[in-house]
């Protein structure tokens, strides 16, 4: 009887812990690669897709024709500054910033096939600290294509991180955890005490792998509000009189 009561208590605690996790689709930045309790997590805005020429798109000329441009609108376009700040949970100066446009991509396929196209930043976007998660709002037009994040690590090595399917209607925030390096040598390395001081991760862009069943005719997608959650503990707790190792 005592064993049965103990088992029921364990099951109750497990269910309680499970219930506290309100979202199983978004990774928790506080536990991604956490090797100590000393963290200073900050959510930062990387790009609001407001600048002409900041993003490019390309596709193989054998596959189709692609074009990209800015459009008015977005997931927050109908909110005032106060509601926007509450919705996106960013500082007031970011919520008040101009965020009235999105980046749209139009692909005209020549034929059905296993097609791929790219959306890349004109310059890689650096992220200081140790990046835990990266998110972006996407309108995927309910097509089952796959979105992959393209990044460069501390040493300039290129990596791909799968973000999710575009098979949904309307706007949706896609969030991905950046897998930590197991030993500072393999995988996505974001910091090193042997090679000076520089941003640990850079966003190169995105790749869209098309589902052959739907990769024909015309396809439209839109992106907005690229941001990251990063750990700035080492930067915020360094001695202000210390010399930066970047010379």
């Amino acid at each position: 009887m005592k064993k049965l009561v103990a088992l029921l208590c364990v099951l109750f605690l497990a269910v309680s812990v499970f219930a506290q996790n309100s979202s199983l689709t978004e990774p928790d930045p506080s536990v991604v690669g956490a090797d100590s309790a000393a963290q200073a997590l900050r959510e930062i805005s990387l790009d609001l897709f407001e600048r002409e020429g900041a993003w490019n798109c390309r596709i193989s000329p054998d596959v189709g024709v692609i074009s990209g441009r800015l459009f008015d609108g977005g997931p927050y376009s109908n909110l005032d500054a106060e509601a926007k700040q509450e919705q996106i949970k960013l500082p007031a100066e970011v919520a008040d910033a101009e965020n009235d446009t999105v980046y749209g991509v139009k692909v005209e396929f020549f034929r059905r096939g296993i097609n791929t196209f790219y959306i890349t930043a004109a310059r890689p976007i650096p992220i200081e600290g140790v990046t835990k998660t990266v998110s972006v709002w996407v309108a995927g037009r309910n097509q089952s294509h796959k979105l992959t994040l393209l990044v460069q690590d501390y040493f300039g090595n290129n990596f791909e991180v799968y973000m999710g399917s575009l098979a949904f209607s309307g706007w949706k925030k896609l969030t991905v955890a950046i897998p930590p390096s197991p030993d500072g040598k393999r995988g996505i390395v974001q910091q090193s005490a042997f090679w000076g001081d520089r941003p640990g991760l850079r966003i190169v862009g995105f790749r869209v792998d098309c589902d052959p069943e739907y990769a024909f005719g015309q396809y439209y997608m839109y992106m907005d509000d690229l941001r990251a959650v990063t750990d700035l503990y080492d930067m915020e707790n360094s001695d202000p009189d210390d010399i930066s190792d970047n010379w």
Side-chain angles (χ1 to χ4, degrees):
M1 184 65 179
K2 293 182 179 179
K3 292 183 179 180
L4 179 59
V5 172
L7 180 60
L8 291 176
C9 292
V10 171
L11 291 176
F12 176 78
L13 290 174
V15 171
S16 299
V17 172
F18 181 83
Q20 290 176 2
N21 186 5
S22 60
S23 174
L24 299 180
T25 59
E26 288 195 13
D28 185 355
S30 64
V31 300
V32 176
D35 54 6
S36 70
Q39 294 192 104
L41 299 181
R42 301 289 182 269
E43 186 172 34
I44 60 175
S45 177
L46 301 177
D47 196 279
L48 296 175
F49 296 90
E50 299 292 315
R51 299 170 296 162
E52 292 282 357
W55 291 85
N56 303 307
C57 54
R58 57 186 173 88
I59 194 173
S60 171
D62 297 330
V63 171
V65 177
I66 191 170
S67 57
R69 49 164 290 201
L70 297 180
F71 290 88
D72 293 334
Y76 313 123
S77 58
N78 61 338
L79 301 177
D80 57 27
E82 183 178 355
K84 187 188 302 181
Q85 181 182 359
E86 174 63 24
Q87 177 72 17
I88 67 180
K89 296 180 174 59
L90 286 177
E93 58 270 18
V94 177
D96 291 337
E98 289 294 329
N99 187 18
D100 300 324
T101 63
V102 301
Y103 186 71
V105 175
K106 173 185 177 182
V107 182
E108 300 175 85
F109 296 107
F110 291 153
R111 64 185 68 85
R112 190 193 304 269
I114 304 175
N115 303 322
T116 296
F117 63 90
Y118 296 85
I119 303 169
T120 56
R123 294 182 179 180
I125 303 173
I127 309 175
E128 294 185 332
V130 178
T131 303
K132 301 295 185 177
T133 64
V134 175
S135 65
V136 65
W137 282 87
V138 183
R141 291 298 183 261
N142 204 20
Q143 301 289 342
S144 57
H145 307 318
K146 311 299 181 183
L147 183 68
T148 298
L149 176 69
L150 307 177
V151 300
Q152 288 181 347
D153 73 351
Y154 186 87
F155 298 112
N157 299 318
N158 294 307
F159 291 91
E160 305 172 353
V161 187
Y162 176 69
M163 296 200 75
S165 172
L166 301 179
F168 53 85
S169 299
W171 287 96
K172 180 180 180 181
K173 185 175 76 168
L174 299 181
T175 305
V176 64
I178 303 300
S181 170
D183 55 8
K185 299 177 182 179
R186 296 170 296 172
I188 303 178
V189 180
Q190 296 199 53
Q191 60 183 357
S192 174
F194 303 100
W195 302 101
D197 179 19
R198 59 175 182 263
L201 194 73
R202 289 177 290 275
I203 303 296
V204 176
F206 303 90
R207 187 186 72 231
V208 178
D209 299 312
C210 302
D211 186 331
E213 184 177 356
Y214 300 98
F216 65 94
Q218 297 179 343
Y219 175 65
Y220 299 85
M221 67 173 292
Y222 304 88
M223 310 185 76
D224 193 21
D225 193 14
L226 175 64
R227 68 176 93 165
V229 175
T230 181
D231 181 10
L232 301 177
Y233 180 84
D234 290 341
M235 301 178 63
E236 293 184 353
N237 292 275
S238 62
D239 190 338
D241 295 328
D242 197 3
I243 301 171
S244 180
D245 297 334
N246 58 2
W247 53 280

